[in-house]
């Protein structure tokens, strides 16, 4: 991934599908996942706290975590759609955020060391403030970003899967109600 070579150092934890059921290392199971929306942010700003949370989740019986590499952070603000993530995996210009990518790879490695899987949930509407006005163009850019991440991880992160465009109805929080239109 742009200047950073992802290399596996932990024994491989793999996520697959066996007879229509998720499997970890070939063992079919119902996955118990912890939604950790700020996981990447914590991996960047508070790496020790991040690994402590992983340890606690593993001890509590969770199989893995779900993280967003882009997220809105000022959720208490009325204009949440204008509060971009200060630590995104990709910048709005489509370039890899080099200050974050090493922590992203470290986050994946920390999960692998614990035998955990990661659902990386991408929400493209969080990357661009002009998402609604330029949706077609932004999807092309988003697809290129996903291809970049996929190519960087395909041989080294068998414990990771992507949730693409996580919510189809994301715009509800960013638009006035029907009565206000």
């Amino acid at each position: 991934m742009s200047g950073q070579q992802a290399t596996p150092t932990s024994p491989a934890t793999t996520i697959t599908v066996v007879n229509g059921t998720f499997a970890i290392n070939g063992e079919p199971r119902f996955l118990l996942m912890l939604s950790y929306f700020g996981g990447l942010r914590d991996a960047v700003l508070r790496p020790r706290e991040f690994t402590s949370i992983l340890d606690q989740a593993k001890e509590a019986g969770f199989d893995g975590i779900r993280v967003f590499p882009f997220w809105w952070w000022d959720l208490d603000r009325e204009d949440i759609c204008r509060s971009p993530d200060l630590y995104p995996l990709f910048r709005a210009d489509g370039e890899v955020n080099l200050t974050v990518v090493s922590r992203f790879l470290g986050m994946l490695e920390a999960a692998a060391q614990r035998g955990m899987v990661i659902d990386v949930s991408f929400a493209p509407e969080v990357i661009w403030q002009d998402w609604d006005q330029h949706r077609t163009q932004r999807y092309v850019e988003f697809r290129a970003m996903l291809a970049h991440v996929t190519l960087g991880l395909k041989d080294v992160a068998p414990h990771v899967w992507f949730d693409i465009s996580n919510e189809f109805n994301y715009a509800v929080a960013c638009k006035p109600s029907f009565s206000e239109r």
Side-chain angles (χ1 to χ4, degrees), residues 18 20 23 25 46 84 87 97 102 111 114 124 129 142 151 154 177:
V18 175
N25 297 331
R46 296 178 286 280
Y87 304 96
N97 187 341
S102 66
R114 290 156 178 80
Q129 293 180 16
F142 181 58
L151 289 173
K154 74 177 189 137
S177 68

Side-chain angles (χ1 to χ4, degrees), residues 19-32:
N19 297 324
T21 302
F22 281 117
I24 295 180
N25 297 331
E27 178 188 324
R29 66 169 78 179
F30 178 85
L31 297 180
L32 181 60

Side-chain angles (χ1 to χ4, degrees), residues 75-130:
L75 296 179
D76 293 331
R77 292 176 45 177
E78 249 180 68
D79 62 343
I80 66 168
C81 296
R82 292 180 184 82
S83 303
D85 189 348
L86 298 176
Y87 304 96
L89 183 58
F90 286 90
R91 297 188 315 252
D93 64 4
E95 294 298 315
V96 171
N97 187 341
L98 294 177
T99 61
V100 173
V101 72
S102 66
R103 294 295 186 174
F104 176 73
L105 296 173
M107 177 184 71
L108 301 182
E109 177 62 22
Q113 288 172 351
R114 290 156 178 80
M116 298 175 84
V117 295
I118 296 188
D119 168 346
V120 180
S121 293
F122 290 92
E125 67 276 7
V126 177
I127 304 168
W128 298 283
Q129 293 180 16
D130 64 353

Side-chain angles (χ1 to χ4, degrees), residues 51-66:
T51 55
S52 174
I53 289 171
L54 279 184
D55 289 337
Q56 292 172 45
K58 182 69 175 178
E59 186 177 311
F62 286 92
D63 295 303
I65 61 171
R66 173 184 182 218

